[in-house]
Amino acid sequence: MSHPLSKPGLAIGAFALVAAAHAQESMSDQWQFEVGPALWATAASGYLRPSPAAPVAHFNDSFGNMRLNAASFSMDAGRGRWGVLVNLTGIGQSRDSDPLRHGEPGRTSPDGTYSVAQLAGAYRLSNDPDTHFDLVAGVRFSSLDIDVTQPQSVAQFSCVKCSHNEHWTDGIAGFRVEHRLDRDWWINIYADYGGGGSNSTWQALLGATWRIDEDINAKFGYRILSTDFQKTQLMYNLKTGGLYAGLGMRF
């Protein structure tokens, strides 16, 4: 003889399992956000020519010449396999070039800001809870506002101070990898490449994330942003790289 509660009990148990699975799926389909600021100490390498007749100025900062001259704010939103990445970065351009070549004395000194706003979508290919692999595609908006001071010796065929205010947009594509080391530590790798308004642009990041508590992450690592932008009046080809540290607040 069967227990009088066996059939209703089985039905209720099955309904509970289905309801729990549906609730878990619904939770995973909710948007999750992480936002936060970061500071970035950078060094620069590359070249700059502020006018067609000016000598090309070269920059070759070493790792030890990094200065705290950049800051960023990021938002990472995700729902299921889909995500949205937003990053706003401002980089100070105040530095001196190497001594000018071809016998010209002195150095070229840009002063201003290179601002970048990036918006990208992400699609997660890997569903492994410990390793995430995302494809990324989007746009990078750039604004360069600089005054470039040159030695008096080049003023006769160029300008002592050349001012530039340029804006352009590039399409980008890349990938992101996040790998869990243990409960509180993740390794992060990001890379993208693109062009359009510029000749080319690329970015790479290698970092770590430490979960301080359920709502706050600490982030740090090394980031590089490279831009090759050329017009008749301006050649700007600089690679900016250095150490960053920041916070991420989850909700």
Side-chain angles (χ1 to χ4, degrees):
M1 178 174 162
S2 63
H3 193 280
L5 296 180
S6 59
K7 291 184 179 180
L10 287 174
I12 292 172
F15 177 78
L17 287 174
V18 171
H22 179 73
Q24 184 176 4
E25 183 179 354
S26 298
M27 287 294 291
S28 66
D29 284 343
Q30 292 181 354
W31 281 99
Q32 312 245 334
F33 296 87
E34 181 179 273
V35 299
L39 295 177
W40 189 16
T42 75
S45 61
Y47 58 87
L48 169 68
R49 191 195 66 191
S51 73
V56 176
H58 292 263
F59 299 82
N60 292 286
D61 289 347
S62 65
F63 187 83
N65 293 128
M66 286 190 304
R67 62 185 71 178
L68 189 60
N69 65 339
S72 66
F73 182 86
S74 299
M75 183 194 76
D76 187 346
R79 178 182 179 185
R81 290 181 177 270
W82 295 95
V84 177
L85 309 178
V86 178
N87 180 267
L88 307 175
T89 300
I91 307 169
Q93 298 292 286
S94 299
R95 62 181 76 241
D96 292 333
S97 73
D98 295 343
L100 296 176
R101 299 180 179 178
H102 308 300
E104 295 294 342
R107 301 169 186 265
T108 292
S109 302
D111 184 24
T113 305
Y114 177 38
S115 303
V116 177
Q118 182 172 309
L119 173 63
Y123 181 75
R124 181 150 296 169
L125 294 180
S126 168
N127 223 11
D128 188 325
D130 293 329
T131 304
H132 305 155
F133 185 89
D134 301 336
L135 293 179
V136 176
V139 291
R140 181 176 296 144
F141 306 95
S142 296
S143 175
L144 180 65
D145 187 4
I146 57 171
D147 296 322
V148 183
T149 302
Q150 300 185 98
Q152 290 286 346
S153 59
V154 305
Q156 56 182 337
F157 53 86
S158 180
C159 47
V160 174
K161 180 174 286 189
C162 306
S163 297
H164 293 280
N165 191 349
E166 303 287 350
H167 311 276
W168 66 91
T169 302
D170 294 306
I172 58 169
F175 68 90
R176 178 177 64 172
V177 178
E178 300 171 325
H179 177 68
R180 186 202 304 267
L181 297 178
D182 60 25
R183 189 177 69 89
D184 295 327
W185 286 92
W186 290 77
I187 293 294
N188 313 298
I189 300 172
Y190 175 92
D192 66 42
Y193 182 86
S198 69
N199 287 9
S200 66
T201 178
W202 62 268
Q203 183 174 203
L205 179 150
L206 174 62
T209 299
W210 172 45
R211 187 174 70 172
I212 299 174
D213 60 28
E214 291 299 323
D215 300 319
I216 300 179
N217 290 333
K219 301 179 173 231
F220 49 90
Y222 193 89
R223 177 186 177 189
I224 301 174
L225 175 62
S226 178
T227 302
D228 179 8
F229 177 79
Q230 298 191 25
K231 292 181 67 175
T232 302
Q233 298 297 321
L234 173 68
M235 288 172 45
Y236 179 90
N237 188 328
L238 284 181
K239 180 173 65 178
T240 303
L243 300 173
Y244 71 88
L247 293 174
M249 290 156 279
R250 301 194 302 275
F251 57 94

